[in-house]
Amino acid sequence: MSNLDDRLNAFGEKVAKETTKNPERKENFVTGSGEHVERLYTPKDVEHIDYIDDIGFPGEYPFTRGVQSTMYRGRLWTMRQYAGFATAEESNERYKFLIEQGSMGLSVAFDLPTQIGYDSDHALSEGEVGKVGVAIDSLRDMEILFNGIPLDKVSTSMTINAPAAVLLAMYIAVAEKQGVTPDKLRGTIQNDILKEYIARGTYIFPPEPSMRLITNIFEYCAKEVPQWNTISISGYHIREAGSSAAQEVAFTLADGIAYVQAALDAGLDVDDFAPRLSFFFNSHNDLLEEVAKFRAARKLWAKIMKERFGAKSPKSLMLKFHTQTAGCTLTAQQPDNNIIRVAIQTLAAVLGGTQSLHTNSRDEALALPTEDSVRIALRTQQIVAHESGVAETVDPLAGSYYIESMTDKIVKQAEDYIEKIDKIGGAPKAIERGYIQQEIMDSAYRYQKDIESKSRIVVGVNQFKVNEEPPKGLLRVDPAVEVRQKEKISSLKSDRDNSAVNDSLNKLRKAANDPKSNLMPLILDAVKCYATLGEICQVLRDEFGEYVATATL
């Protein structure tokens, strides 16, 4: 390195003279997460990195370069579009539109009452029915939602957490009515309650019974729905709440550690359930930092599963993940600018090796997306896939001094966070103490201060503003949706066998008090009797109680 050292010194002297006359644009250059960026990266920044041990080959431990040997040369990532609004009928039309436009998988957005286990006729649902997703009150709604969509031909992701067991049961029951057996179903339920306590807030039950429901799903699906991803451990909402890239990796994997440990404590074998774990990450604006983040997450999870949990199957070591472009970066000002932001974020996800991807629409800072906006978002993925050339070779940025240095840095920062969380007693304890939440809030505060001081430019917000007319043509949910949903529930309860419903709910109540009982078969029985989501969740509320968040100072 002596010659390189000499050349670096000479280069430094040269730049020092140049910048005395012509200073650089800023005194300090940082990533989207606020990490310092050097002027130049050279072999000296990666001399401690061993190619075989730290980077390796795609499809091989430590999976830094990807979980498949050929990656997108074999098959492209699954192009999903997250959708759902108003009624099951309207959402079904949107799903069919997306499939016609080339979407390769469905991703279901549920309304807020559904997310927290209330039927549309509950007092707390008033004004929220169908607003941020589709209202699903019973199996009857789910039948309509997937009418004409063969569930053995599509992969479906459902963003649902606290009542995930109920929505999964409804999906299984719809498939059976189509003649599709559970072993043919492919898809994912988010089912990640820890990040709800951290960053999002759509929880119902306290941590202990919530973890029981999650491990019940692990156990049930390992036997009955083997192709289903039983959890999508989510960093997306952690990043949306304001975390840095390294925090997103650290806190997400810390949650993953807690889920694996809970499953082991429940008597499951790690190699029976670990291959069906999946992850969900955010793709933010800093393209190169995001690529390094995805690579770091893969490398670190492989190490955790191998060294901490003793997983033997290579599939148990693979961090497979879905990505969504960053909603928090979308601006109401000059919304067409969001198309460019989403394109950059799409490129980051693909260069980082995602397995599936949702691209946000340009108008989502203002309302639910229109069909035109959704089509542009999907076309963004298709152009990156078929025209950009980045999918032609595996992990094309590997070997970049900057990328490898940043990947290594994020790994080390995430390991430091996980070590602190371990000392506290694991992710659930760290959440109870407010440690994780406080770290995210501090990061978000720093980010916002940078915007307000204009040390971080957001185009159209704190720089390059224009006078704009109010937006037109936004999608609005008709208030009549709530009236129709209430009418549906009333009709359902008069048509169904209420004796069978009550019997199924009583059996579920009894099993909820037996910690050794797996609740999934009983929830499935209740769903098939057309017990509503709210009725099932109320039984569990009665027996498990409700979680009340503690204040974080």
Side-chain angles (χ1 to χ4, degrees), residues 8 98 220 224 341 370 410 458 465 483 499 527 542 552:
L8 276 173
L98 288 169
Y220 181 82
E224 304 294 336
R341 293 186 178 101
T370 63
I410 292 174
V458 181
K465 300 178 186 179
V483 175
S499 176
V527 159
D542 292 342
T552 301

Side-chain angles (χ1 to χ4, degrees), residues 17-289:
K17 291 177 182 177
E18 291 178 359
T19 54
T20 300
K21 297 177 181 178
N22 300 298
E24 293 179 326
R25 291 184 293 112
K26 297 182 285 188
E27 287 187 14
N28 186 29
F29 288 78
V30 297
T31 68
S33 298
E35 295 294 329
H36 177 69
V37 179
E38 298 289 347
R39 177 183 297 113
L40 184 71
Y41 287 80
T42 73
K44 286 188 69 66
D45 295 288
V46 296
E47 60 186 356
H48 62 288
I49 295 174
D50 181 87
Y51 178 81
I52 297 298
D53 292 340
D54 296 312
I55 302 173
F57 293 89
E60 297 179 13
Y61 185 86
F63 303 102
T64 309
R65 301 199 66 183
V67 293
Q68 290 106 13
S69 299
T70 60
M71 287 301 290
Y72 308 134
R73 288 168 66 101
R75 65 184 294 269
L76 293 170
W77 63 93
T78 301
M79 299 180 194
R80 299 187 186 278
Q81 286 304 120
Y82 184 49
F85 63 96
T87 62
E89 289 87 349
E90 288 168 279
S91 292
N92 176 262
E93 289 178 12
R94 176 62 64 89
Y95 295 157
K96 289 176 178 175
F97 168 80
L98 288 169
I99 291 170
E100 288 170 3
Q101 297 301 314
S103 182
M104 297 152 64
L106 301 177
S107 187
V108 184
F110 297 98
D111 72 354
L112 189 57
T114 303
Q115 291 179 48
I116 53 177
Y118 289 121
D119 290 334
S120 297
D121 60 356
H122 193 282
L124 293 178
S125 301
E126 187 173 346
E128 292 292 343
V129 176
K131 288 291 176 69
V132 299
V134 61
I136 299 294
D137 294 313
S138 72
L139 177 59
R140 186 173 289 180
D141 285 324
M142 201 67 132
E143 290 166 355
I144 296 167
L145 187 66
F146 292 103
N147 181 45
I149 299 172
L151 298 189
D152 57 342
K153 299 290 193 298
V154 299
S155 168
T156 303
S157 172
M158 294 190 282
T159 303
I160 195 72
N161 295 283
V166 184
L167 274 299
L168 175 58
M170 290 182 184
Y171 192 83
I172 293 168
V174 170
E176 288 180 357
K177 285 178 173 285
Q178 290 186 3
V180 178
T181 54
D183 61 300
K184 300 290 194 303
L185 296 177
R186 294 176 298 110
T188 305
I189 41 171
Q190 194 161 98
N191 197 26
D192 175 7
I193 201 63
L194 292 179
K195 71 95 177 46
E196 295 296 327
Y197 302 135
I198 292 171
R200 195 160 174 269
T202 60
Y203 43 72
I204 303 174
F205 317 113
E208 187 174 342
S210 293
M211 295 296 273
R212 175 189 172 186
L213 285 168
I214 289 167
T215 55
N216 281 179
I217 292 170
F218 288 178
E219 182 181 31
Y220 181 82
C221 288
K223 297 173 184 175
E224 304 294 336
V225 202
Q227 296 190 79
W228 195 265
N229 295 320
T230 50
I231 193 167
S232 178
I233 305 162
S234 176
Y236 182 84
H237 306 93
I238 289 170
R239 193 65 179 278
E240 290 287 288
S243 80
S244 68
Q247 287 173 338
E248 182 185 356
V249 172
F251 301 152
T252 306
L253 299 196
D255 286 350
I257 289 168
Y259 292 127
V260 172
Q261 190 59 57
L264 294 176
D265 292 344
L268 305 185
D269 183 89
V270 66
D271 287 316
D272 285 343
F273 67 85
R276 302 317 304 175
L277 303 179
S278 66
F279 289 79
F280 175 23
F281 288 113
N282 196 301
S283 191
H284 223 267
N285 276 339
D286 191 317
L287 189 149
L288 298 177
E289 182 180 49

